[in-house]
Amino acid sequence: MVYSYYPGCTLKNKAQDLDRYARLSAQALGITLEEIENWQCCGGVYPMAKDEIATKLSSVRALADAKAHNRDLITLCSACHNVLKQVNNDMATDADICMRANNYLKNDLPEEYHGETKVVHFLEMLRDTVGFDTLKEKVTNPLTGKKIGAYYGCLLLRPGKVMKMDDPENPKIMEDFIRAIGAEPVIYPMRNECCGGYLTLEDKDAAAKRRNAVADSAADFKAELLVTACPLCMYNMKKNDKGVPVYYFTELLAEALGVKEN
């Protein structure tokens, strides 16, 4: 299956290895990721102001490009996924936003865009297209014996009515992923609480307090490491005082599939 791929800024700059692991893993699973040509930054944060249109236009361009190629749009970063999916929802459900965005982009798009593209997170692709049972069969280097805590963060699942990825209060997609790569998932209370990543530039102490609370919660339930789908969460959580290692899910996936480069 072929997807239009939106990598996002972090995965094309500071986290190129995470992008590479995803591409290698997708290839091993028979999935093709076709990177969108000339994609632009999504902004990293969904703009809440009702009259804010300009910062949504880069997302609309990416969504319209996927539509033009008759493909679903796939992302790896929970922040990009959140922005793209919420903007897509705007284009499908808010006539005023849709009209204004299309007016801005009337010379850039082949036709008007009205939210037709399906936005998919890489984890959803593993669950719904590949299937976790099939993924398990393709694992050549299972992470047997590893006790891994899934860290969802605040953007992957919320708002639940728009993201529609999993139960925002009691998710299981990452635990099922952990089982598929041969490890043991650890359920702990703060797995879908905010780590404070967006506070790091403004209030380092507040960010530290939140990330340490998450790490303490995971460690108390005997997690040996954490896995996340948000680059910002990963970089913030790696500084936790407990010393709990934090990995991006594509790195563990590539390791389990035997395609991780040494």
Side-chain angles (χ1 to χ4, degrees), residues 2-260:
V2 181
Y3 288 89
S4 288
Y5 174 41
Y6 183 92
C9 301
T10 304
L11 293 169
K12 294 296 286 187
N13 291 282
K14 294 290 186 180
Q16 293 182 25
D17 53 338
L18 308 182
D19 170 74
R20 186 172 65 254
Y21 296 144
R23 293 175 187 268
L24 291 170
S25 297
Q27 185 177 11
L29 294 169
I31 301 295
T32 300
L33 304 180
E34 289 286 349
E35 185 173 332
I36 293 174
E37 186 177 358
N38 298 323
W39 59 267
Q40 298 169 299
C41 176
C42 70
V45 180
Y46 172 72
M48 300 293 290
K50 185 70 174 176
D51 61 349
E52 180 55 54
I53 299 296
T55 52
K56 297 180 180 182
L57 299 182
S58 60
S59 295
V60 177
R61 289 189 184 96
L63 293 161
D65 187 274
K67 175 191 173 184
H69 287 89
N70 196 29
R71 298 174 187 151
D72 293 345
L73 178 61
I74 196 168
T75 63
L76 305 181
C77 168
S78 61
C80 294
H81 179 245
N82 187 281
V83 173
L84 287 165
K85 200 155 191 179
Q86 291 213 67
V87 171
N88 201 44
N89 182 68
D90 288 339
M91 297 299 289
T93 63
D94 191 310
D96 181 63
I97 290 177
C98 184
M99 176 192 68
R100 294 168 66 194
N102 277 302
N103 282 343
Y104 272 108
L105 297 173
K106 62 184 177 182
N107 295 323
D108 296 340
L109 305 182
E111 61 181 356
E112 287 194 355
Y113 182 74
H114 296 273
E116 295 90 346
T117 296
K118 182 179 180 181
V119 181
V120 180
H121 192 278
F122 199 99
L123 284 167
E124 290 179 291
M125 179 272 290
L126 293 177
R127 179 189 65 192
D128 302 333
T129 301
V130 175
F132 285 133
D133 288 340
T134 299
L135 173 59
K136 186 175 182 178
E137 293 173 359
K138 291 184 177 293
V139 166
T140 60
N141 182 33
L143 278 64
T144 307
K146 293 288 187 182
K147 295 183 177 181
I148 304 177
Y151 180 59
Y152 288 88
C154 53
L155 294 177
L156 191 63
L157 306 172
R158 302 181 181 98
K161 291 182 179 179
V162 176
M163 304 311 289
K164 297 179 181 179
M165 182 174 178
D166 206 342
D167 185 332
E169 301 302 325
N170 189 29
K172 67 173 189 174
I173 188 170
M174 290 183 73
E175 284 79 14
D176 289 344
F177 165 74
I178 291 167
R179 292 187 187 94
I181 60 175
E184 177 186 343
V186 175
I187 309 295
Y188 62 101
M190 295 195 69
R191 62 196 174 120
N192 57 356
E193 298 294 329
C194 178
C195 72
Y198 279 106
L199 297 172
T200 51
L201 293 178
E202 182 176 340
D203 192 337
K204 294 186 186 317
D205 291 339
K209 182 177 180 180
R210 295 196 67 88
R211 70 168 173 260
N212 287 331
V214 174
D216 288 348
S217 177
D220 288 345
F221 281 75
K222 311 304 180 186
E224 298 172 349
L225 58 95
L226 293 174
V227 60
T228 186
C230 174
L232 181 59
C233 291
M234 184 184 71
Y235 294 134
N236 186 42
M237 286 298 301
K238 277 188 173 183
K239 302 174 184 177
N240 72 84
D241 290 348
K242 283 286 186 179
V244 179
V246 183
Y247 293 87
Y248 207 64
F249 78 98
T250 57
E251 181 175 5
L252 296 186
L253 176 62
E255 181 176 346
L257 291 173
V259 297
K260 182 179 176 182

